[in-house]
Structure formats: C-alpha cells, structure tokens
Amino acid sequence: ADAASQSATLAVLGSCRVLVETNFRLYAYTSSSFQISLLKLFMTPLYRLPNMVVGHVTRKAVRGAFFNGITAQQIISFMNEHAHERMAANGGLPQNVCDEISLWEAESERVTMDNVAVLDDFQSDANFEKVMAEANDRGILKFSNKEKRICAVSEEGFDALWAFIRENNLK
C-alpha cells in the first residue's frame, strides 16, 4: 500500500529533478504543471521544452517568493530535495547560490520604513536631552544624534511631543 500511495502521489504532483549551475541557471526535468508552478515562485523561466524547463534563479523572483511567505531555507530545501543525480553527486545546490538566496532574504528584512518627524536646531544640549528623554519615555523615538542635536520621532507621537516642547520652551 505504501508503494501504491507513493506512485499515486507522484502521478498527481509529478516528478521533478532540478540542476542549478553556479551562474544561477536552473534546469528542471519535469512535465508537471504543478512542479513548474512551484519553480516559477523563485525562478524566471526562459523556455519550456516537453519535459524540461530552463530558467534563472533571479533576485526579483526570489524576493517575490519572500513576499509570499516563502523562506530562503524552503527554497534551498526544495532545490536540494529535488536535486538531479549529477548535482546531488557534486554536493547538492552550489554554495554560492545558497549564500546569495540567504543574502537576498536578509536584505529584504534589513530595512523598514516609518513615517517620522525630524527635530533639529535645539538651542542647547540640555534642551535636546530633555526632549530625547520625553520621546524615549513615550516610546516614539526612532533615531537621535547627540553631536548634531537631531532626532526623529514617530509621526503619530509628534503632536504630543511638540506640545511638550512648547510648554517647556525647549526648542
């Protein structure tokens, strides 16, 4: 029964053998539309033959996969699990491809954008410190540079902080 269920699953999902070169070119030996759809989540297809798809693992396609909730580890695991015999015999997915996919994921998680209000031109270090302490206490401080007396606070908390600055004549 176990062999029968495996062959039934293989008939539905289709087999797929992937070979990836160090230049990010991907060769997938499959005729399964399902497997091709999975591959398209992280590669840009160049052409399709009756039993093969050729494409490139591109930054744009991989970042699209990240946007859809797929992790670098899942992409790497998929390609290693479906590795062509030749690629598997050479140690699996080339290390530079693994590293680059992981770097693309780290890059996408590195930067976040927030709307902020920038405060500068403080008259003294003491005034700057009081405003920084108040912003920090309110949990709205996003960035500060003591040497330049400049800070950025969240847009949502700016009005309340500005009222504090006015009331205490701290600008």
mmCIF file of all heavy atoms in Angstrom, residues 90-120:
data_model
loop_
_atom_site.group_PDB
_atom_site.id
_atom_site.type_symbol
_atom_site.label_atom_id
_atom_site.label_comp_id
_atom_site.label_asym_id
_atom_site.label_seq_id
_atom_site.Cartn_x
_atom_site.Cartn_y
_atom_site.Cartn_z
ATOM 1 N N ASN A 90 27.559 16.032 -6.696
ATOM 2 C CA ASN A 90 28.550 17.099 -6.504
ATOM 3 C C ASN A 90 28.295 17.918 -5.239
ATOM 4 O O ASN A 90 28.772 19.036 -5.111
ATOM 5 C CB ASN A 90 28.575 18.031 -7.714
ATOM 6 C CG ASN A 90 29.207 17.380 -8.923
ATOM 7 O OD1 ASN A 90 30.094 16.547 -8.779
ATOM 8 N ND2 ASN A 90 28.740 17.748 -10.096
ATOM 9 N N GLY A 91 27.504 17.381 -4.315
ATOM 10 C CA GLY A 91 27.284 18.072 -3.053
ATOM 11 C C GLY A 91 25.999 18.871 -2.982
ATOM 12 O O GLY A 91 25.803 19.643 -2.056
ATOM 13 N N GLY A 92 25.136 18.734 -3.959
ATOM 14 C CA GLY A 92 23.854 19.450 -3.934
ATOM 15 C C GLY A 92 23.946 20.830 -4.555
ATOM 16 O O GLY A 92 24.788 21.102 -5.410
ATOM 17 N N LEU A 93 23.085 21.701 -4.104
ATOM 18 C CA LEU A 93 22.989 23.058 -4.630
ATOM 19 C C LEU A 93 24.321 23.789 -4.444
ATOM 20 O O LEU A 93 24.916 23.718 -3.363
ATOM 21 C CB LEU A 93 21.874 23.786 -3.871
ATOM 22 C CG LEU A 93 21.355 25.091 -4.438
ATOM 23 C CD1 LEU A 93 20.755 24.897 -5.825
ATOM 24 C CD2 LEU A 93 20.293 25.668 -3.504
ATOM 25 N N PRO A 94 24.830 24.473 -5.479
ATOM 26 C CA PRO A 94 26.100 25.197 -5.324
ATOM 27 C C PRO A 94 26.036 26.176 -4.143
ATOM 28 O O PRO A 94 25.027 26.839 -3.926
ATOM 29 C CB PRO A 94 26.249 25.953 -6.648
ATOM 30 C CG PRO A 94 25.430 25.182 -7.625
ATOM 31 C CD PRO A 94 24.285 24.617 -6.827
ATOM 32 N N GLN A 95 27.135 26.249 -3.400
ATOM 33 C CA GLN A 95 27.173 27.073 -2.186
ATOM 34 C C GLN A 95 26.920 28.548 -2.488
ATOM 35 O O GLN A 95 26.236 29.225 -1.721
ATOM 36 C CB GLN A 95 28.522 26.906 -1.476
ATOM 37 C CG GLN A 95 28.554 27.538 -0.097
ATOM 38 C CD GLN A 95 27.518 26.968 0.851
ATOM 39 O OE1 GLN A 95 27.382 25.746 0.955
ATOM 40 N NE2 GLN A 95 26.769 27.819 1.530
ATOM 41 N N ASN A 96 27.414 29.042 -3.633
ATOM 42 C CA ASN A 96 27.208 30.465 -3.934
ATOM 43 C C ASN A 96 25.726 30.773 -4.163
ATOM 44 O O ASN A 96 25.250 31.856 -3.818
ATOM 45 C CB ASN A 96 28.041 30.921 -5.128
ATOM 46 C CG ASN A 96 27.551 30.369 -6.449
ATOM 47 O OD1 ASN A 96 27.367 29.157 -6.597
ATOM 48 N ND2 ASN A 96 27.350 31.237 -7.411
ATOM 49 N N VAL A 97 24.974 29.814 -4.682
ATOM 50 C CA VAL A 97 23.535 30.007 -4.897
ATOM 51 C C VAL A 97 22.825 30.031 -3.539
ATOM 52 O O VAL A 97 21.986 30.908 -3.286
ATOM 53 C CB VAL A 97 22.956 28.917 -5.821
ATOM 54 C CG1 VAL A 97 21.447 29.037 -5.948
ATOM 55 C CG2 VAL A 97 23.612 28.993 -7.201
ATOM 56 N N CYS A 98 23.177 29.100 -2.650
ATOM 57 C CA CYS A 98 22.598 29.076 -1.296
ATOM 58 C C CYS A 98 22.882 30.391 -0.573
ATOM 59 O O CYS A 98 21.981 30.989 0.025
ATOM 60 C CB CYS A 98 23.181 27.934 -0.471
ATOM 61 S SG CYS A 98 22.751 26.300 -1.042
ATOM 62 N N ASP A 99 24.141 30.822 -0.638
ATOM 63 C CA ASP A 99 24.537 32.057 0.056
ATOM 64 C C ASP A 99 23.782 33.263 -0.478
ATOM 65 O O ASP A 99 23.308 34.103 0.295
ATOM 66 C CB ASP A 99 26.048 32.291 -0.087
ATOM 67 C CG ASP A 99 26.877 31.264 0.668
ATOM 68 O OD1 ASP A 99 26.314 30.539 1.521
ATOM 69 O OD2 ASP A 99 28.082 31.167 0.386
ATOM 70 N N GLU A 100 23.667 33.343 -1.789
ATOM 71 C CA GLU A 100 23.012 34.512 -2.393
ATOM 72 C C GLU A 100 21.520 34.550 -2.045
ATOM 73 O O GLU A 100 20.983 35.609 -1.728
ATOM 74 C CB GLU A 100 23.202 34.508 -3.908
ATOM 75 C CG GLU A 100 22.873 35.826 -4.558
ATOM 76 C CD GLU A 100 23.800 36.955 -4.153
ATOM 77 O OE1 GLU A 100 24.989 36.703 -3.908
ATOM 78 O OE2 GLU A 100 23.328 38.104 -4.090
ATOM 79 N N ILE A 101 20.867 33.426 -2.082
ATOM 80 C CA ILE A 101 19.443 33.379 -1.716
ATOM 81 C C ILE A 101 19.266 33.806 -0.256
ATOM 82 O O ILE A 101 18.371 34.580 0.071
ATOM 83 C CB ILE A 101 18.852 31.969 -1.978
ATOM 84 C CG1 ILE A 101 18.784 31.705 -3.482
ATOM 85 C CG2 ILE A 101 17.466 31.826 -1.353
ATOM 86 C CD1 ILE A 101 18.433 30.283 -3.864
ATOM 87 N N SER A 102 20.150 33.338 0.610
ATOM 88 C CA SER A 102 20.093 33.741 2.023
ATOM 89 C C SER A 102 20.361 35.229 2.182
ATOM 90 O O SER A 102 19.716 35.900 3.003
ATOM 91 C CB SER A 102 21.101 32.935 2.843
ATOM 92 O OG SER A 102 20.764 31.564 2.813
ATOM 93 N N LEU A 103 21.299 35.771 1.409
ATOM 94 C CA LEU A 103 21.592 37.212 1.459
ATOM 95 C C LEU A 103 20.402 38.033 0.973
ATOM 96 O O LEU A 103 20.091 39.083 1.542
ATOM 97 C CB LEU A 103 22.833 37.541 0.631
ATOM 98 C CG LEU A 103 24.163 37.152 1.261
ATOM 99 C CD1 LEU A 103 25.294 37.333 0.257
ATOM 100 C CD2 LEU A 103 24.429 37.954 2.513
ATOM 101 N N TRP A 104 19.739 37.560 -0.068
ATOM 102 C CA TRP A 104 18.556 38.269 -0.564
ATOM 103 C C TRP A 104 17.467 38.308 0.499
ATOM 104 O O TRP A 104 16.773 39.310 0.645
ATOM 105 C CB TRP A 104 18.027 37.622 -1.839
ATOM 106 C CG TRP A 104 18.900 37.818 -3.046
ATOM 107 C CD1 TRP A 104 19.772 38.828 -3.265
ATOM 108 C CD2 TRP A 104 18.959 36.974 -4.203
ATOM 109 N NE1 TRP A 104 20.388 38.675 -4.491
ATOM 110 C CE2 TRP A 104 19.902 37.540 -5.089
ATOM 111 C CE3 TRP A 104 18.322 35.809 -4.580
ATOM 112 C CZ2 TRP A 104 20.211 36.980 -6.314
ATOM 113 C CZ3 TRP A 104 18.635 35.248 -5.809
ATOM 114 C CH2 TRP A 104 19.559 35.825 -6.662
ATOM 115 N N GLU A 105 17.343 37.212 1.253
ATOM 116 C CA GLU A 105 16.350 37.203 2.325
ATOM 117 C C GLU A 105 16.735 38.184 3.429
ATOM 118 O O GLU A 105 15.900 38.954 3.901
ATOM 119 C CB GLU A 105 16.204 35.805 2.912
ATOM 120 C CG GLU A 105 15.160 35.731 4.014
ATOM 121 C CD GLU A 105 14.978 34.332 4.549
ATOM 122 O OE1 GLU A 105 15.995 33.646 4.822
ATOM 123 O OE2 GLU A 105 13.815 33.920 4.690
ATOM 124 N N ALA A 106 18.003 38.173 3.819
ATOM 125 C CA ALA A 106 18.463 39.093 4.870
ATOM 126 C C ALA A 106 18.299 40.541 4.421
ATOM 127 O O ALA A 106 17.926 41.410 5.220
ATOM 128 C CB ALA A 106 19.927 38.802 5.209
ATOM 129 N N GLU A 107 18.554 40.787 3.158
ATOM 130 C CA GLU A 107 18.410 42.136 2.598
ATOM 131 C C GLU A 107 16.965 42.613 2.678
ATOM 132 O O GLU A 107 16.693 43.765 2.995
ATOM 133 C CB GLU A 107 18.876 42.100 1.144
ATOM 134 C CG GLU A 107 18.704 43.347 0.363
ATOM 135 C CD GLU A 107 19.104 43.121 -1.083
ATOM 136 O OE1 GLU A 107 20.299 43.246 -1.392
ATOM 137 O OE2 GLU A 107 18.216 42.812 -1.906
ATOM 138 N N SER A 108 16.039 41.720 2.427
ATOM 139 C CA SER A 108 14.633 42.112 2.441
ATOM 140 C C SER A 108 14.126 42.368 3.853
ATOM 141 O O SER A 108 13.145 43.074 4.038
ATOM 142 C CB SER A 108 13.759 41.055 1.761
ATOM 143 O OG SER A 108 13.713 39.882 2.529
ATOM 144 N N GLU A 109 14.793 41.811 4.854
ATOM 145 C CA GLU A 109 14.385 42.003 6.242
ATOM 146 C C GLU A 109 15.142 43.138 6.920
ATOM 147 O O GLU A 109 14.849 43.497 8.044
ATOM 148 C CB GLU A 109 14.603 40.713 7.025
ATOM 149 C CG GLU A 109 13.738 39.576 6.532
ATOM 150 C CD GLU A 109 14.114 38.258 7.157
ATOM 151 O OE1 GLU A 109 15.164 38.181 7.824
ATOM 152 O OE2 GLU A 109 13.360 37.296 6.967
ATOM 153 N N ARG A 110 16.140 43.683 6.259
ATOM 154 C CA ARG A 110 17.053 44.640 6.872
ATOM 155 C C ARG A 110 16.451 46.017 7.050
ATOM 156 O O ARG A 110 16.680 46.678 8.060
ATOM 157 C CB ARG A 110 18.312 44.717 6.007
ATOM 158 C CG ARG A 110 19.384 45.603 6.553
ATOM 159 C CD ARG A 110 20.566 45.626 5.636
ATOM 160 N NE ARG A 110 20.234 46.385 4.452
ATOM 161 C CZ ARG A 110 20.872 46.317 3.312
ATOM 162 N NH1 ARG A 110 21.874 45.515 3.177
ATOM 163 N NH2 ARG A 110 20.509 47.052 2.289
ATOM 164 N N VAL A 111 15.704 46.500 6.113
ATOM 165 C CA VAL A 111 15.245 47.874 6.120
ATOM 166 C C VAL A 111 13.739 47.936 6.341
ATOM 167 O O VAL A 111 12.985 47.200 5.721
ATOM 168 C CB VAL A 111 15.589 48.566 4.776
ATOM 169 C CG1 VAL A 111 15.072 49.976 4.741
ATOM 170 C CG2 VAL A 111 17.086 48.554 4.545
ATOM 171 N N THR A 112 13.346 48.809 7.243
ATOM 172 C CA THR A 112 11.924 49.081 7.413
ATOM 173 C C THR A 112 11.710 50.576 7.263
ATOM 174 O O THR A 112 12.576 51.377 7.618
ATOM 175 C CB THR A 112 11.411 48.635 8.802
ATOM 176 O OG1 THR A 112 12.137 49.326 9.810
ATOM 177 C CG2 THR A 112 11.561 47.140 8.988
ATOM 178 N N MET A 113 10.582 50.943 6.746
ATOM 179 C CA MET A 113 10.269 52.351 6.523
ATOM 180 C C MET A 113 9.204 52.787 7.519
ATOM 181 O O MET A 113 8.215 52.094 7.705
ATOM 182 C CB MET A 113 9.756 52.555 5.094
ATOM 183 C CG MET A 113 10.736 52.115 4.018
ATOM 184 S SD MET A 113 12.199 53.126 3.970
ATOM 185 C CE MET A 113 11.611 54.471 3.011
ATOM 186 N N ASP A 114 9.444 53.933 8.154
ATOM 187 C CA ASP A 114 8.483 54.528 9.073
ATOM 188 C C ASP A 114 8.331 55.995 8.715
ATOM 189 O O ASP A 114 9.298 56.651 8.312
ATOM 190 C CB ASP A 114 8.981 54.441 10.528
ATOM 191 C CG ASP A 114 8.953 53.044 11.093
ATOM 192 O OD1 ASP A 114 8.043 52.286 10.727
ATOM 193 O OD2 ASP A 114 9.835 52.723 11.906
ATOM 194 N N ASN A 115 7.139 56.522 8.882
ATOM 195 C CA ASN A 115 6.929 57.959 8.744
ATOM 196 C C ASN A 115 7.363 58.612 10.046
ATOM 197 O O ASN A 115 6.933 58.202 11.119
ATOM 198 C CB ASN A 115 5.459 58.270 8.453
ATOM 199 C CG ASN A 115 5.058 57.812 7.072
ATOM 200 O OD1 ASN A 115 5.866 57.784 6.158
ATOM 201 N ND2 ASN A 115 3.802 57.437 6.917
ATOM 202 N N VAL A 116 8.242 59.595 9.939
ATOM 203 C CA VAL A 116 8.780 60.258 11.127
ATOM 204 C C VAL A 116 8.751 61.767 10.954
ATOM 205 O O VAL A 116 8.628 62.277 9.841
ATOM 206 C CB VAL A 116 10.232 59.815 11.424
ATOM 207 C CG1 VAL A 116 10.319 58.341 11.735
ATOM 208 C CG2 VAL A 116 11.166 60.178 10.295
ATOM 209 N N ALA A 117 8.892 62.445 12.084
ATOM 210 C CA ALA A 117 9.088 63.893 12.094
ATOM 211 C C ALA A 117 10.501 64.124 12.606
ATOM 212 O O ALA A 117 10.930 63.502 13.579
ATOM 213 C CB ALA A 117 8.071 64.559 13.004
ATOM 214 N N VAL A 118 11.239 65.008 11.942
ATOM 215 C CA VAL A 118 12.617 65.292 12.312
ATOM 216 C C VAL A 118 12.660 66.588 13.110
ATOM 217 O O VAL A 118 12.103 67.610 12.698
ATOM 218 C CB VAL A 118 13.518 65.390 11.054
ATOM 219 C CG1 VAL A 118 14.937 65.776 11.435
ATOM 220 C CG2 VAL A 118 13.504 64.085 10.288
ATOM 221 N N LEU A 119 13.329 66.536 14.246
ATOM 222 C CA LEU A 119 13.511 67.713 15.100
ATOM 223 C C LEU A 119 14.991 68.049 15.128
ATOM 224 O O LEU A 119 15.825 67.177 15.355
ATOM 225 C CB LEU A 119 13.016 67.429 16.522
ATOM 226 C CG LEU A 119 11.547 67.054 16.662
ATOM 227 C CD1 LEU A 119 11.260 66.541 18.063
ATOM 228 C CD2 LEU A 119 10.678 68.246 16.352
ATOM 229 N N ASP A 120 15.305 69.316 14.893
ATOM 230 C CA ASP A 120 16.697 69.752 14.955
ATOM 231 C C ASP A 120 16.747 71.194 15.451
ATOM 232 O O ASP A 120 15.736 71.746 15.861
ATOM 233 C CB ASP A 120 17.381 69.605 13.595
ATOM 234 C CG ASP A 120 16.736 70.436 12.507
ATOM 235 O OD1 ASP A 120 15.726 71.112 12.774
ATOM 236 O OD2 ASP A 120 17.231 70.399 11.374
#
